[in-house]
Amino acid sequence: MRFALQLPATASLLRATVPGNVLNLSQAGALFVWDAPPPLTLVVGARFELSFFIEKPDPVRVKTWVTVRWTSTTGVGVQFDGLHQHEAEAVSRYLAA
């Protein structure tokens, strides 16, 4: 189950950093929507590093590799590729709050 929200986020794509927001979140993945289109086209199966900050209940920076599972003109649905234990716990606490 995904939860609607809005968390500022950045995607690291090759040598570019693309600002945007995480608009929904689950234990397995997220919807990342960019502020402006990235400098390259993202396709299903592409990987990049996604970073966002969870403030509540405990502040944690989540920085993880993700795989694109679907695309749209404004963003991508991604699957997390191995959250660290403290990041997975932070996501769980955030979603439970």
Side-chain angles (χ1 to χ4, degrees):
M1 174 182 270
R2 291 198 180 225
F3 292 84
L5 46 81
Q6 185 169 354
L7 300 172
T10 57
S12 297
L13 308 166
L14 298 175
R15 294 188 177 111
T17 300
V18 179
N21 290 283
V22 168
L23 294 187
N24 69 39
L25 182 66
S26 74
Q27 275 300 130
L31 166 60
F32 175 71
V33 176
W34 42 75
D35 294 341
L40 54 96
T41 302
L42 290 171
V43 297
V44 172
R47 294 186 74 227
F48 64 90
E49 193 171 53
L50 181 65
S51 177
F52 58 95
F53 189 73
I54 294 176
E55 294 183 15
K56 298 176 183 178
D58 303 309
V60 172
R61 164 78 52 200
V62 175
K63 187 174 184 180
T64 187
W65 283 93
V66 297
T67 300
V68 175
R69 292 297 172 214
W70 58 265
T71 66
S72 75
T73 56
T74 58
V76 291
V78 298
Q79 177 182 331
F80 297 136
D81 293 339
L83 290 173
H84 292 285
Q85 183 68 29
H86 74 281
E87 294 168 329
E89 291 170 356
V91 169
S92 290
R93 285 191 304 271
Y94 183 81
L95 297 175

